[in-house]
Amino acid sequence: MPWYKRLRWRLVGSQFLVALVGVSIMMLATRIIIINSAPVVLRPLLEALLQNPGNLLQTEADLIIAFRNAVLFSVLFAAVGAVVAGAFSSALLWGTIINPLRQVADSSQRIADGRFDERVTVPESSGVAMAQLVTSFNQMTATLEQIEQQRVALLGNIAHELRTPLTGLKGYLEGLMDGLFPANEETFAWMTQEVDRLGRLVDDIQHLSRIESGQFKLDFQPVDVVQLVQRVTAQLYVQAQSKQIDLQGPSVPQPILALADADRAAQVLINLVGNAIRYTPQAGHVWLTVQENGRFVEISVQDDGVGIPPDAMPYIFERFYRVDQSRSRTSGGSGIGLTISRHLVWAMGGELTAVSDGLDQGSCFTFTLPLV
Ligand code: ADP
């Protein structure tokens, strides 16, 4: 039974207890008073009436007084009994409902003040209903605490990521001012590279925040995935060639239509192929495949590059996570490309997954899109 139903029955039960005690005491008191008052009150009145029948009116008045007293006393006893029962059930409710609720209210206030490590504990005697309520409350607080920790970590990560290109730029500027670097094309090209890196990072962060807060629109249309993959392969061909990487597109003769946002799907693919080229050494191989699987089309980007160690695998889709910090940074990676890609694929109704047999064993990233 859900906790709120138990609570409702507990409240109904306590009201019922008070009423039951009151009625029982009233019945008992009436019975006792009538039995006890018969020889003391009724009999003398009746005997007096028998001896003097003309006293009927007086006897009637005395009887009414006796009856009224009997009722008054039973009501009084019942009221006292009901008050005692009420006090007893209130004490029970205080321990099992009101006290835990007060603790939850106090903790909510402390959480509102920013103390996310707050937890409520209630004694076992509070019952299952309160235990369930408090467990849910503590789970909510734990989630809030986790979100807060992620927020703090994210701020730290952003600051750290921004500092790297800024430090580079500052170094060049100081070098220029001190005359260590000549004010020539090469120096300005290096500086422009750092500014570009900064711009890319800011764009990615803004993009990610829009995606995570759901502030972006998708333009769903039937998209020929085979054509899309071939187009992206051609687009990144020159980049692959600069590392003598053999980049091969899919060899699927007929179109495969998926319901997706063409630009976003291309963005995901460019990110995956870009990563494959980035994390594959000179003269390596990157190949793309497209195939139907049930209600989905699967697009895979496979490479024979540096691979991903098993212990890093669970984290590669997390913001700013990089397996090899230095390699990713020097190659211009911001560490949020996969996070953005996964969110985009989710938004289009698919999944993005990765497999790798470990370091230097290559990797395979696959994402799915629903077929039209
Ligand atoms: P980055 O901009 O650093 O590439 P991503 O979010 O795209 O950020 O990728 C996160 C991390 O996942 C990368 O830093 C890299 O360590 C790892 N990774 C991504 N793609 C590959 C790949 N094809 N081969 C090996 N490692 C990869």
Side-chain angles (χ1 to χ4, degrees):
M1 194 193 289
W3 66 269
Y4 53 87
K5 284 195 178 159
R6 285 170 197 267
L7 212 57
R8 189 180 64 191
W9 284 118
R10 190 170 284 195
L11 284 172
V12 170
S14 71
Q15 305 284 345
F16 184 72
L17 177 78
V18 173
L20 187 75
V21 168
V23 170
S24 310
I25 291 182
M26 197 161 165
M27 284 166 68
L28 202 69
T30 315
R31 204 178 148 80
I32 292 169
I33 289 168
I34 287 173
I35 289 170
N36 288 339
S37 62
V40 194
V41 182
L42 292 181
R43 194 165 298 152
L45 279 177
L46 290 174
E47 279 168 5
L49 185 65
L50 278 176
Q51 280 165 17
N52 190 0
N55 250 358
L56 183 64
L57 279 177
Q58 181 57 43
T59 309
E60 190 189 350
D62 289 345
L63 270 175
I64 288 172
I65 290 171
F67 181 72
R68 192 196 59 193
N69 286 346
V71 172
L72 263 179
F73 276 115
S74 8
V75 169
L76 200 69
F77 284 132
V80 171
V83 167
V84 173
F88 176 72
S89 85
S90 298
L92 257 180
L93 289 181
W94 177 264
T96 59
I97 299 176
I98 299 166
N99 209 21
L101 279 182
R102 205 196 55 196
Q103 285 190 40
V104 170
D106 289 350
S107 295
S108 308
Q109 188 54 54
R110 282 194 284 272
I111 291 165
D113 294 341
R115 288 191 47 194
F116 295 100
D117 56 346
E118 184 69 30
R119 297 290 180 276
V120 180
T121 46
V122 286
E124 267 182 36
S125 57
S126 306
V128 184
M130 270 303 141
Q132 279 181 9
L133 175 69
V134 166
T135 307
S136 306
F137 181 85
N138 285 341
Q139 276 168 357
M140 180 198 74
T141 320
T143 310
L144 281 177
E145 188 179 15
Q146 204 184 354
I147 292 172
E148 177 61 9
Q149 281 167 355
Q150 284 173 354
R151 191 186 66 83
V152 172
L154 180 66
L155 277 180
N157 279 331
I158 292 176
H160 182 75
E161 295 298 327
L162 290 174
R163 196 177 302 122
T164 313
L166 276 178
T167 310
L169 266 179
K170 193 164 174 252
Y172 284 121
L173 280 172
E174 282 173 356
L176 275 173
M177 284 191 296
D178 295 346
L180 289 174
F181 294 131
N184 60 16
E185 211 173 301
E186 197 188 0
T187 308
F188 289 122
W190 279 111
M191 290 175 74
T192 311
Q193 209 173 326
E194 295 296 340
V195 172
D196 286 348
R197 183 128 68 109
L198 211 53
R200 260 198 320 270
L201 186 63
V202 171
D203 285 348
D204 279 355
I205 292 170
Q206 198 179 24
H207 195 169
L208 181 65
S209 102
R210 280 213 193 104
I211 288 174
E212 287 192 327
S213 60
Q215 289 175 4
F216 74 112
K217 276 201 183 129
L218 289 172
D219 182 15
F220 282 101
Q221 275 171 12
V223 178
D224 178 2
V225 175
V226 177
Q227 199 189 49
L228 180 106
V229 174
Q230 280 162 349
R231 204 183 55 194
V232 170
T233 312
Q235 200 176 328
L236 294 180
Y237 187 76
V238 177
Q239 195 178 325
Q241 278 296 298
S242 67
K243 283 178 83 178
Q244 286 111 45
I245 285 174
D246 176 24
L247 175 62
Q248 283 187 16
S251 49
V252 182
Q254 71 273 42
I256 298 178
L257 289 184
L259 194 63
D261 181 315
D263 290 342
R264 305 295 189 178
Q267 184 184 343
V268 172
L269 199 55
I270 289 171
N271 180 241
L272 297 183
V273 180
N275 274 352
I277 296 172
R278 190 181 297 162
Y279 300 109
T280 297
Q282 295 265 340
H285 298 84
V286 175
W287 58 102
L288 288 86
T289 54
V290 179
Q291 63 176 38
E292 285 185 39
N293 187 355
R295 293 188 302 110
F296 292 90
V297 52
E298 275 180 3
I299 303 130
S300 295
V301 181
Q302 206 164 344
D303 64 63
D304 58 359
V306 298
I308 301 164
D311 55 336
M313 204 44 126
Y315 308 107
I316 56 167
F317 292 102
E318 282 183 13
R319 304 183 198 110
F320 299 112
Y321 181 82
R322 297 175 172 109
V323 179
D324 181 340
Q325 298 287 335
S326 54
R327 194 203 308 255
S328 168
R329 272 218 184 81
T330 47
S331 52
S334 64
I336 45 179
L338 285 181
T339 319
I340 293 177
S341 295
R342 184 174 246 189
H343 276 283
L344 286 177
V345 173
W346 278 342
M348 289 187 280
E351 267 296 340
L352 170 59
T353 50
V355 281
S356 171
D357 287 338
L359 268 187
D360 296 324
Q361 300 298 313
S363 325
C364 179
F365 285 79
T366 303
F367 71 100
T368 57
L369 293 172
L371 288 168
V372 169

